[in-house]
């Protein structure tokens, strides 16, 4: 087996990247790097870049590549990334994908495929735990705002309101989708049907990785 495993999760907002990556990080024992989560922490902790980042996120726009790339290269330079990592939400533009190629060779790219018409409902019904970051959905928990995993308080992400979601889906179509072909051409893409129960999606991912690793 290789001494490191570098994975990128791709897919539309709401396709399940965060849900699946947090399961994979436990199974594979490599860190889960979510750029969206890092940005939300920068904002919550009042980091000097936080205000600038918040403006983009609140509009459903992308954070500029130079900001993203600096944060990412700092993160993958840390000790815990020596054995690999799972990117969730990065790269999100062709520029970011090209820049990543200069610094690191990705092994597999998992494309979580969900029919476009399912995404609005998946995102606006999403509930995220303030404490353990567990992601749930109103179709499972109803009106409850209590985390089924840790009992903590659930929140609705500020960018999960319909208007911002529409913008994020447009940005995905025009700016992020091209990276699917970029990785397909390089023979790295693994397509997974993510319009299934989370457990089934997860076992499909592990099966696909098991066949190729
Ligand atoms: P989702 O995948 O559900 O859209 P994320 O938590 O990955 O949610 O991202 C939330 C927001 O953070 C994005 O809408 C975007 O504004 C910003 N963001 C995250 N990752 C990147 C990135 N690699 N490049 C630019 N902006 C990003
Ligand atoms: Zn929780």
């Amino acid at each position: 087996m290789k001494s490191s495993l570098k994975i990128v999760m791709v897919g539309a907002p709401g396709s399940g990247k965060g849900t699946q990556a947090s399961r994979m990080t436990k199974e594979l024992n490599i860190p889960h790097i979510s750029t969206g989560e890092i940005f939300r922490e920068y904002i919550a902790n009042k980091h000097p870049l936080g205000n600038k980042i918040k403006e983009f996120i609140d509009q459903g726009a992308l954070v500029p590549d130079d900001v993203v790339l600096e944060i990412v290269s700092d993160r993958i330079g840390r000790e815990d990334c020596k054995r690999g990592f799972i990117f969730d939400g990065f790269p999100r533009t062709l520029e970011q994908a090209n820049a990543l190629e200069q610094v690191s060779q990705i092994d597999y790219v998992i494309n979580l495929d969900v029919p476009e018409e399912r995404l609005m409902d998946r995102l606006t019904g999403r509930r995220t735990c303030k404490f353990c970051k567990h992601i749930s959905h109103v179709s499972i928990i109803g009106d409850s705002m209590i985390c089924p995993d840790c009992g903590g308080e659930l929140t609705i992400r500020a960018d999960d309101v319909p208007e911002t979601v529409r913008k994020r889906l447009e940005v995905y179509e025009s700016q992020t989708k091209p990276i699917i072909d970029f990785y397909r051409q390089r023979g790295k893409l693994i397509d997974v049907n993510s319009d299934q129960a989370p457990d089934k999606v997860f076992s499909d991912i592990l099966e696909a990785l098991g066949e190729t690793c």
Side-chain angles (χ1 to χ4, degrees):
M1 224 182 91
K2 287 188 57 177
S3 60
S4 86
L5 184 57
K6 296 171 182 168
I7 298 176
V8 167
M9 311 293 290
V10 296
S15 61
K17 299 185 297 291
T19 300
Q20 298 302 329
S22 31
R23 292 174 178 221
M24 288 161 68
T25 189
K26 292 183 197 131
E27 178 78 24
L28 303 170
N29 222 350
I30 46 177
H32 169 195
I33 304 177
S34 158
T35 43
E37 203 50 54
I38 294 174
F39 296 153
R40 284 187 287 278
E41 276 162 21
Y42 270 49
I43 296 167
N45 300 335
K46 311 228 178 303
H47 185 277
L49 282 173
N51 272 341
K52 186 176 173 195
I53 288 172
K54 186 172 187 306
E55 275 176 39
F56 293 100
I57 292 188
D58 284 353
Q59 288 172 21
L62 295 183
V63 174
D65 287 336
D66 57 339
V67 176
V68 180
L69 289 167
E70 191 177 329
I71 290 173
V72 167
S73 51
D74 172 70
R75 181 65 190 85
I76 61 176
R78 291 201 221 148
E79 184 65 29
D80 65 336
C81 290
K82 288 240 159 66
R83 293 184 42 253
F85 44 77
I86 304 164
F87 273 134
D88 154 17
F90 175 87
R92 228 176 177 98
T93 60
L94 279 177
E95 289 73 14
Q96 291 178 15
N98 277 307
L100 177 60
E101 285 221 320
Q102 307 304 311
V103 293
S104 197
Q105 284 305 309
I106 295 303
D107 299 297
Y108 304 106
V109 177
I110 295 169
N111 177 28
L112 296 179
D113 202 24
V114 175
E116 210 189 307
E117 65 273 15
R118 296 272 305 112
L119 296 169
M120 177 59 81
D121 180 59
R122 284 174 67 137
L123 286 161
T124 54
R126 175 158 75 175
R127 303 290 179 263
T128 309
C129 177
K130 263 190 186 172
F131 299 96
C132 75
K133 309 291 174 203
H134 178 77
I135 299 165
S136 197
H137 193 273
V138 289
S139 60
I140 296 161
I141 54 163
D143 289 338
S144 164
M145 289 304 265
I146 297 167
C147 174
D149 251 33
C150 79
E153 190 190 339
L154 295 178
T155 55
I156 301 175
R157 253 173 57 180
D159 58 348
D160 279 347
V161 297
E163 203 185 298
T164 315
V165 166
R166 257 190 293 278
K167 175 74 181 152
R168 284 161 64 205
L169 294 175
E170 275 171 35
V171 168
Y172 172 75
E173 279 294 319
S174 62
Q175 308 208 53
T176 306
K177 229 179 177 178
I179 71 172
I180 292 180
D181 278 334
F182 176 95
Y183 286 121
R184 202 186 297 282
Q185 282 158 12
R186 284 162 176 73
K188 293 187 175 169
L189 205 74
I190 298 175
D191 289 297
V192 173
N193 173 13
S194 198
D195 191 20
Q196 314 184 81
D199 285 349
K200 177 72 170 84
V201 177
F202 185 54
S203 61
D204 284 1
I205 292 173
L206 293 184
E207 196 184 303
L209 285 174
E211 279 166 11
T212 43
C213 278

